[in-house]
Amino acid sequence: SMNALTSAQFATLAAMLDVEEARARAALGTGATPRAPLERQDPGDKTDVADREIGQRQADAMREHYRVELEDIAAARGRMTLGSYAICRECEEPIPFERLQAYPTAKRCTACQREHEQKRGGGF
């Protein structure tokens, strides 16, 4: 295969995915919804209700972030199994180990990722 990784590098990245998965699962498992201490929860206090709604939205955004991360990790594992991991899905050139160390779930080389983001108008 075109895979440019040594078996040691491959093992390092697989272990990094394990750590990221455990961290994401732990974050999701807490289901942390930030709540104001009870004595501050005066039902007539509109700012408190707004604070709680903002807190809830932030918690939802965090959960969504970790759900997406877990999907990315599962997809990276799938590519590892299929032998397409560390190969850019656009140009099919090897993705350098340094990039994968920074982003173990990377699907594209840096150049193709930049192009992809410009097409989509920014974002990740």
Side-chain angles (χ1 to χ4, degrees):
S1 83
M2 277 184 56
N3 205 319
L5 298 176
T6 67
S7 53
Q9 287 172 332
F10 193 85
T12 297
L13 294 165
M16 283 178 75
L17 288 174
D18 288 345
V19 170
E20 285 197 11
E21 180 180 18
R23 195 181 292 138
R25 285 197 189 285
L28 277 174
T30 59
T33 47
R35 273 200 285 277
L38 282 174
E39 64 273 14
R40 282 189 46 232
Q41 290 184 1
D42 173 0
D45 186 351
K46 283 195 178 64
T47 59
D48 198 45
V49 171
D51 280 348
R52 278 211 297 281
E53 280 174 7
I54 288 166
Q56 192 58 56
R57 272 203 300 277
Q58 283 172 337
D60 289 346
M62 285 300 281
R63 270 196 295 275
E64 184 56 25
H65 167 82
Y66 288 117
R67 269 199 295 272
V68 169
E69 194 179 0
L70 287 170
E71 282 170 20
D72 286 348
I73 291 165
R77 287 227 177 85
R79 293 195 298 279
M80 282 181 163
T81 304
L82 293 168
S84 58
Y85 183 77
I87 295 167
C88 177
R89 63 160 48 166
E90 306 294 339
C91 69
E92 296 182 7
E93 288 295 313
I95 302 170
F97 178 62
E98 293 69 35
R99 170 159 172 73
L100 291 164
Q101 262 193 309
Y103 305 102
T105 58
K107 304 175 191 75
R108 298 175 184 85
C109 69
T110 308
C112 288
Q113 183 62 32
R114 210 171 278 142
E115 211 171 293
H116 176 73
E117 283 166 17
Q118 279 163 358
K119 275 197 209 106
R120 281 182 38 193
F124 293 99

